[in-house]
Amino acid sequence: MENSEAYQAAKKRVEAKMGFYTHLSVYVAVILFLAVIDFVSSPGTIWVQWPMMGWGIAVVLHALAVFVFPGRYAVTEKMIEKEMSKSRTQS
């Protein structure tokens, strides 16, 4: 059972990392698209910096949550286990 728990924990970490990479890829693609629109439609005014900075903050926070402070996922797993044990004892 411990091996299964280790597998599930590793799976959660990999899913979190893949979620971040997907977020980053979409961010880069959309910002590039917006930059093209910005430079074609209004070359004298640069507005693409605003969505780039706003969404960029979200990407940085996502990266911090996945790579720097991954403990949130461990806490979630512990809470799930606790709820499952409660439901087993009540049955």
Side-chain angles (χ1 to χ4, degrees), residues 29-67:
V30 171
I31 293 301
L32 286 174
F33 180 69
L34 290 176
V36 169
I37 291 173
D38 183 18
F39 295 125
V40 168
S41 66
S42 58
T45 307
I46 299 175
W47 52 261
V48 73
Q49 66 193 3
W50 302 114
M52 184 187 313
M53 287 190 302
W55 194 354
I57 290 169
V59 171
V60 168
L61 291 175
H62 193 171
L64 289 173
V66 171
F67 297 107

Side-chain angles (χ1 to χ4, degrees), residues 1-9:
M1 182 145 166
E2 184 177 322
N3 191 18
S4 175
E5 290 175 12
Y7 173 80
Q8 292 300 325

Side-chain angles (χ1 to χ4, degrees), residues 9-40:
K11 182 179 176 184
K12 291 283 185 188
R13 286 191 304 272
V14 168
E15 287 172 352
K17 289 177 182 179
M18 292 305 296
F20 168 73
Y21 292 134
T22 300
H23 187 188
L24 182 62
S25 299
V26 171
Y27 169 77
V28 169
V30 171
I31 293 301
L32 286 174
F33 180 69
L34 290 176
V36 169
I37 291 173
D38 183 18
F39 295 125
V40 168

